Amino acid sequence: MSYSFEQLQVYLQWDISTWQRALVFWDEILAENPASDTHVLELGTGDGGLTLYLAEKGMDVVCSDVQGPNPAAYALIQQNNLSAQVSFAVVDATAIDFADNSFQFVLFKSVLGGVGMTYAWPGIEQVIREIHRVLKPGGWLLFAENLAGSAFHRRARRMFMPWGKTWLYPSLDQLETLLAVFAESEIKTYGFFSCIKKDFAPLVFADQLICRSNKASSHYMAYGYARKA
């Protein structure tokens, strides 16, 4: 499925050229599951863009964040006449207040690093355990997450991002270890220079070249799925 740039801005908010790859990948998985069996929990929703992405596909979505979704998320769902499909909740990803086997899908984007900033690595491990617990048998985790990337990324974040010194960016190896609790998983990576200046055409083109040749562990974004047995 193709999306307009305006749609992608609403869904993803930043660095669309990189993160849209996650949507294309997720679309393939979501298309295999009937809407009648798509009870979804989105963690760390922020302004609700990915909840909109899911609800527009006919899914029943719990839109959540640790202090509750931003007011913009409520407005976004109302403006698109999708209130019947979306409920809003305060959810701490380290202690998800839903019963075991509640959801066919759990989805998040750029959540683990923020959890790690507050709870260190054990908090990130707890998030994955909680997601696994609330998924139904055969249920799917869909994720997109910032990675530690290369030495270049680590240095640039410390120098230029206010949260760069405290955000806990997992490495690709660490992410693979986290997902080992699932029966199967697939991780893809992308992005190198585009994190410096989002959607700047020369850097987008540079990433198309460099991401073909350098190691996946040096990319700054990972996306994919994990499936519960």
Side-chain angles (χ1 to χ4, degrees):
M1 182 174 180
S2 61
Y3 301 100
S4 69
F5 186 77
E6 290 74 19
Q7 284 178 297
L8 292 171
Q9 282 183 308
V10 173
Y11 295 154
L12 299 170
Q13 297 188 321
W14 73 82
D15 196 5
I16 291 164
S17 59
T18 297
W19 294 79
Q20 67 177 323
R21 292 171 179 266
L23 295 189
V24 173
F25 186 77
W26 296 343
D27 279 348
E28 297 175 4
I29 296 169
L30 294 171
E32 298 173 359
N33 291 266
S36 60
D37 192 26
T38 48
H39 191 205
V40 188
L41 170 65
E42 188 203 350
L43 297 170
T45 190
D47 289 344
L50 289 179
T51 285
L52 177 64
Y53 160 77
L54 295 164
E56 287 181 334
K57 296 180 182 296
M59 300 177 185
D60 173 20
V61 188
V62 178
C63 177
S64 76
D65 213 320
V66 65
Q67 295 181 332
N70 295 336
Y74 294 86
L76 182 66
I77 298 306
Q78 286 186 333
Q79 290 165 5
N80 287 275
N81 300 312
L82 291 168
S83 297
Q85 293 169 227
V86 177
S87 59
F88 298 90
V90 176
V91 175
D92 180 344
T94 66
I96 299 173
D97 192 19
F98 287 94
D100 297 358
N101 308 321
S102 291
F103 297 96
Q104 181 67 13
F105 288 91
V106 175
L107 183 147
F108 70 76
K109 171 178 174 279
S110 191
V111 164
L112 298 182
V115 170
M117 183 169 58
T118 303
Y119 298 107
W121 189 254
I124 292 177
E125 294 175 321
Q126 179 64 13
V127 168
I128 299 302
R129 286 193 293 268
E130 281 290 277
I131 290 172
H132 187 271
R133 179 184 65 79
V134 300
L135 280 171
K136 297 178 181 180
W140 303 76
L141 164 63
L142 305 179
F143 64 88
E145 186 64 36
N146 289 283
L147 291 178
S150 67
F152 162 77
H153 294 108
R154 294 190 289 274
R155 189 177 302 111
R157 285 161 170 161
R158 288 194 299 269
M159 292 177 62
F160 301 115
M161 295 182 180
W163 58 87
K165 295 180 180 179
T166 54
W167 198 270
L168 205 168
Y169 297 94
S171 68
L172 180 57
D173 287 345
Q174 287 174 320
L175 185 57
E176 290 172 345
T177 299
L178 285 171
L179 299 182
V181 67
F182 291 90
E184 61 176 295
S185 63
E186 183 174 357
I187 303 173
K188 295 180 177 291
T189 64
Y190 194 75
F192 196 88
F193 292 116
S194 55
C195 70
I196 302 171
K197 187 173 182 181
K198 316 303 184 190
D199 301 307
F200 182 54
L203 296 184
V204 171
F205 178 72
D207 273 10
Q208 291 173 355
L209 299 177
I210 196 170
C211 289
R212 294 174 187 168
S213 57
N214 64 356
K215 293 181 179 179
S217 59
S218 70
H219 300 164
Y220 92 92
M221 189 273 282
Y223 62 98
Y225 78 83
R227 195 172 191 189
K228 184 175 176 177

